[in-house]
Amino acid sequence: MTLSPGILLILDGWGEAAPGPGNAVAAASTPRLDELRARCSSVLLQASGTAVGLPEGVVGNSEIGHLVMGAGRPLQYDSLLVQRQAESGALRKHTALAAACSRLASSGRALHVVGLCSDGRIHSDLSHIGELLGAAADASVSQVWLHAITDGRDVADGTAADYLRRLRKMADTAGTGTIATVIGRNYAMDKSGRRDLTEHAAGLIADAVGECTAPDEVAAVGSEGDGWIASTVLNGGPVYPGIADGDAVLFANFRSDRTTPLVDLLHERLESSGRTQVRLLSLARYDTDTPLETLVERADASGGLADVLDEHGVRSVRIAEHEKFEHVTFFINGRSTVERPCEQHQRVPSAFGPQYVEHPQMNLGEVANQVIEASASSDIPLVIANLANIDVVGHTGDYEATVRAAEVTDEAVGRICRAAAEHGRWVALVGDHGNAEQMTQTGADGTVRPYGGHTHNPVPFVLTAPDGRRLAADMPPQSLALPAVAPTVLDLLGVQAPSIMSAPSLLGGAGNRAEHKD
């Protein structure tokens, strides 16, 4: 098999919107990206809602973006599967949930519900906690402790107090549930590998050990930003005693990656202190070392890009900084942990930790260096890399820092594309969801606030190929979505896409592909 080598370059958070206030991408000086989009073949792809397997109107995210890019077809995402269970009433009556609540009711033990307190629907939906509270009330569980993780990333910063009030109202409506602790997501949902951050949340939930106390949930909200609210024990009502042996803990987020470190560390803390009879449940399937009882299983994502490359013995290198490394390995591989001999994984360490505003360049220079080095290897047909800056810095809500992140990304793209041209490689550039093109959001009261969340906007797909191949100009609109990435990459390589990939190649029909096969 003669392969046409290339690079799949994922610009995380690179969305498309008209220039205007809050569009950091348009405001940035990006001459290389501008030149590529003017000279090369490009289209816009849908990256949110039903086009990628999310509920209608829900913004895309890195996990589902990489997942469907690799799968070559829309997949019913965990949030959609959970939402359907909630809307039908099946979640509230779930056998495992009902059994756990019945046991707690008869033993007098407590249920602990841990979840991100917002409705951004990237990691969680606050309404799901209402369903879980309803199940606990139906079973007459005597004590339900709520452990609220404040957001400020998937939703506008500065809104935590409003969401906490909504959580309190849900508990009042259900007739059960006491908000016991509050902590920001940058502690409870860190995935940069900083155990010290996660320990703040594990100690708070397991043993009521916090940096602060507050009389109620709203008083726990300070000025440091919703994501950085310190570990806080509420002391204005019943005194939270921590988790007792025989209690149950239910994690209410539906997305795995940022919840997994907390689950594993909390389990470790409980086990080491002799609390071995605590039952752990999760709303959706998590990829933890800890055994969990899952309420809603996930869709099968096998048969995608990684499986096809493995079947044909096509070598690939996966490169990203720590923040996005799982996305170019685990998620784009269909959430598979199988070690494939044809894959080489290169995790680039973070250079400055989480100080993204001060260092919007992150460690992009080293990511680009490794992509360039890999592209020079004739025995590596495919390089897959994630440039994280636009998304990661965009999530801070800092407009100026995000403009700079877009500019350093542009510089890296220029370097990579020059190297690719020297070695005769095609480059496919694509965003995985929108973010930095909308850095402000207008609230119901008309106030314009900084916004660091994802958007509904489409993402660019740009192809530069040394042999002049271009994207088809007559693709039907429903085909222009992220699932088309895997079939297009295989087409560019010269490998037949399997029938399970329902999305078409963006190069067009079989005639376009046939020119590049054996």
Side-chain angles (χ1 to χ4, degrees):
M1 178 184 292
T2 302
L3 298 172
S4 176
I7 301 171
L8 174 59
L9 202 58
I10 301 162
L11 277 58
D12 217 291
W14 184 35
E16 176 77 4
N23 189 334
V25 176
S29 174
T30 55
R32 296 121 185 129
L33 286 170
D34 295 344
E35 188 269 335
L36 285 170
R37 297 192 68 177
R39 173 176 59 85
C40 300
S41 185
S42 68
V43 294
L44 294 177
L45 302 180
Q46 294 301 314
S48 63
T50 57
V52 293
L54 291 166
E56 182 69 43
V58 174
V59 298
N61 60 66
S62 293
E63 183 184 39
I64 190 65
H66 287 74
L67 189 64
V68 300
M69 277 195 276
R73 60 194 188 274
L75 295 167
Q76 292 188 354
Y77 186 49
D78 302 351
S79 59
L80 178 58
L81 296 171
V82 171
Q83 187 63 29
R84 286 178 174 171
Q85 293 264 346
E87 290 174 352
S88 69
L91 178 61
R92 187 164 175 164
K93 299 175 182 177
H94 194 286
T95 303
L97 179 59
C101 289
S102 176
R103 183 184 63 83
L104 294 172
S106 61
S107 65
R109 297 299 187 184
L111 173 66
H112 302 257
V113 180
V114 182
L116 184 65
C117 187
S118 77
D119 57 2
R121 294 197 283 181
I122 291 176
H123 293 273
S124 71
D125 189 328
L126 188 57
S127 67
H128 297 160
I129 294 181
E131 290 297 301
L132 302 175
L133 288 172
D138 290 346
S140 301
V141 178
S142 59
Q143 183 63 69
V144 180
W145 297 107
L146 301 174
H147 303 278
I149 302 170
T150 50
D151 197 341
R153 176 167 172 157
D154 298 342
V155 296
D157 199 18
T159 58
D162 293 336
Y163 283 107
L164 288 166
R165 290 188 188 98
R166 285 173 57 182
L167 180 61
R168 165 80 70 167
K169 186 174 181 179
M170 281 182 178
D172 291 343
T173 300
T176 189
T178 300
I179 303 178
T181 68
V182 178
I183 190 170
R185 64 175 287 160
N186 294 338
Y187 296 103
M189 293 169 56
D190 172 74
K191 70 166 187 177
S192 68
R194 287 192 57 186
R195 182 184 174 97
D196 60 311
L197 293 177
T198 311
E199 282 179 338
H200 281 267
L204 178 69
I205 296 167
D207 298 310
V209 176
E211 291 187 276
C212 309
T213 59
D216 58 53
E217 61 277 2
V218 174
V221 178
S223 59
E224 56 281 290
D226 294 347
W228 287 109
I229 291 177
S231 55
T232 304
V233 179
L234 303 188
N235 60 6
V239 177
Y240 174 57
I243 298 173
D245 210 20
D247 287 356
V249 182
L250 175 50
F251 296 91
N253 290 1
F254 48 69
R255 178 165 155 179
S256 169
D257 56 338
R258 288 188 177 272
T259 310
T260 291
L262 175 59
V263 174
D264 285 337
L265 190 53
L266 183 64
H267 178 250
E268 177 185 317
R269 190 180 186 103
L270 294 172
E271 290 279 308
S272 65
S273 60
R275 287 169 283 183
T276 60
Q277 300 303 311
V278 176
R279 188 171 184 175
L280 301 177
L281 303 95
S282 61
L283 184 57
R285 172 64 59 190
Y286 295 168
D287 305 289
T288 58
D289 295 328
T290 301
L292 287 171
E293 191 164 4
T294 299
L295 302 186
V296 181
E297 287 293 346
R298 58 177 45 152
D300 178 20
S302 63
L305 180 63
D307 290 334
V308 177
L309 296 176
D310 189 45
E311 178 186 350
H312 290 276
V314 178
R315 291 192 64 201
S316 66
V317 175
R318 316 300 183 84
I319 302 168
E321 281 192 60
H322 186 98
E323 277 269 359
K324 299 293 181 175
F325 184 71
E326 286 185 337
H327 295 87
V328 295
T329 53
F330 177 74
F331 289 115
I332 210 167
N333 285 8
R335 290 190 285 208
S336 171
T337 57
V338 173
E339 293 186 13
R340 294 173 171 84
C342 62
E343 285 183 19
Q344 180 179 334
H345 294 179
Q346 296 177 195
R347 186 195 299 262
V348 177
S350 299
F352 302 102
Q355 308 305 315
Y356 304 125
V357 171
E358 293 83 357
H359 302 284
Q361 74 275 19
M362 301 172 61
N363 206 2
L364 182 56
E366 182 55 26
V367 173
N369 288 343
Q370 293 195 21
V371 173
I372 291 167
E373 182 179 350
S375 70
S377 299
S378 59
D379 62 340
I380 300 174
L382 181 61
V383 180
I384 301 177
N386 181 296
L387 310 187
N389 305 62
I390 294 174
D391 180 59
V392 171
V393 182
H395 276 305
T396 68
D398 190 295
Y399 177 81
E400 295 300 331
T402 308
V403 168
R404 180 57 185 151
E407 292 174 345
V408 296
T409 299
D410 182 75
E411 294 166 9
V413 167
R415 291 178 56 206
I416 291 168
C417 287
R418 285 192 297 272
E422 290 174 7
H423 299 292
R425 287 181 179 266
W426 52 264
V427 181
L429 302 96
V430 64
D432 61 339
H433 57 76
N435 181 334
E437 79 286 358
Q438 182 186 323
M439 296 291 296
T440 59
Q441 189 175 72
T442 303
D445 61 354
T447 301
V448 177
R449 296 189 179 99
Y451 178 66
H454 295 174
T455 73
H456 297 95
N457 294 320
V459 298
F461 184 100
V462 182
L463 174 65
T464 172
D467 59 5
R469 279 181 288 179
R470 297 181 65 81
L471 304 176
D474 57 351
M475 298 292 292
Q478 63 270 23
S479 299
L480 298 178
L482 283 181
V485 170
T488 305
V489 167
L490 291 173
D491 203 346
L492 288 164
L493 284 168
V495 177
Q496 181 68 47
S499 59
I500 196 172
M501 291 188 180
S502 59
S505 165
L506 296 172
L507 298 183
N512 194 346
R513 291 196 294 269
E515 297 174 7
H516 309 286
K517 300 199 188 309
D518 293 341

